[in-house]
Amino acid sequence: MNQKNLLSIAADFVQPSINRGIVLLSAKEMDKMRRVGKLAANLLNHLEPMVQPGVSTQALNDEAASWMQAHSAISATLGYAPPGHPPFTGSICTSVNEVVCHGIPNPKQILKDGDIINIDVTPLLEGYHGDTSRTFLVGQVSATARKLVEATQESMMRGIAEIKPGARIGDIGAAIQEYAEASGFSVVRDMVGHGIGRQMHTEFQVPHYGKRGSGVKLRPGMVFTVEPMLNEGTYELKFLADRWTVITKDKKLSAQFEHTVAVTDKGVEILTLA
């Protein structure tokens, strides 16, 4: 798939009909986003002890689906089918090692010692979406894998620290890129963060690289994801035949962390904290 098509893909899923115009959420809507954001974070906490050698990605998926149902939520990803893509069959995304994003849970995919796995969850509660992901270490991992995962999380937090009224989207990407590249890793260009609320994707896009002072100006009420993906090698990507799974072109490791955040009068609020 060429770069033009790749750039149409948000970091979670292809969005064929993103709403035009930036959405500012009301105080009531923000309360709903806090509830679903906390739910999403707690889901990852619930799954974390299961991330062990010998566990299948399907088992993680099934536990996540049961947990969401028990908490009056559903998965926004299950059955999602934009034009040109088959319905997504997972309640979560499970992206292992060289898989950058959109990994499909599979009973035959068994975690092994030394793997890294990103688990991306998007529960839907009371009409609002919570979106968050973490990359977990499976057993004893290599020094490179550990450094990549730690750098990815830190780059996300440095990007989030830039968020405040009057700042620009480019400030977020620049902070992420500066830290990632100083750490010896590349930043994926073709997957981006996005606005979120009643819909899984709304305007605008949040690149994880860029120039300070560029892009959309941030205003209170904006809610969006910051979800950098850092690669051990090249930032170039490749799609698998299932039309969902994205891997690194050189098949080296990739890691991702994601939070849903809100711009407030005073700065930023991370909505996907447990």
Side-chain angles (χ1 to χ4, degrees), residues 1 13 27 65 98 107 111 121 146 163 182 188 209 214 226 245 262 265:
M1 185 172 287
F13 285 94
E98 75 275 11
L111 297 179
V121 302
R146 183 178 296 275
I163 299 171
V188 170
Y209 67 101
S214 65
V226 179
T245 307
D265 291 333

Side-chain angles (χ1 to χ4, degrees), residues 223-245:
V223 178
F224 53 90
T225 66
V226 179
E227 46 185 309
M229 302 167 203
L230 271 56
N231 292 350
E232 177 188 1
T234 180
Y235 61 73
E236 294 181 287
L237 310 178
K238 179 182 177 181
F239 275 77
L240 298 187
D242 62 25
R243 298 286 295 161
W244 282 115
T245 307

Side-chain angles (χ1 to χ4, degrees), residues 7 63 69 104 125 139 145 155 210 233 245:
L7 287 170
E63 180 61 28
Q69 184 178 24
I104 303 172
L125 178 70
S155 72
T245 307

Side-chain angles (χ1 to χ4, degrees), residues 22-35 126 128 196-198 219-223 261-265 269 271:
I22 293 172
V23 177
L24 301 179
L25 298 191
S26 67
K28 184 177 180 180
E29 290 176 309
M30 204 68 78
D31 283 340
K32 289 182 180 291
M33 289 298 294
R34 289 187 184 99
R35 285 196 288 273
E126 299 178 334
Y128 288 81
I196 189 170
R198 291 191 65 88
R219 292 180 283 164
M222 289 179 171
V223 178
V261 301
V263 183
T264 69
D265 291 333
E269 179 180 355
L271 302 177

Side-chain angles (χ1 to χ4, degrees), residues 157-184:
M157 296 308 298
R158 290 189 179 218
I160 291 172
E162 296 288 332
I163 299 171
K164 60 185 177 182
R168 299 276 183 173
I169 286 295
D171 300 340
I172 301 171
I176 291 169
Q177 184 179 11
E178 288 163 8
Y179 185 82
E181 293 180 352
S183 300

Side-chain angles (χ1 to χ4, degrees), residues 116 137 139-151 185 253:
I116 61 173
L137 310 178
Q140 298 298 314
V141 306
S142 69
T144 297
R146 183 178 296 275
K147 182 181 178 183
L148 173 64
V149 171
E150 291 174 351
F185 302 112
L253 294 175

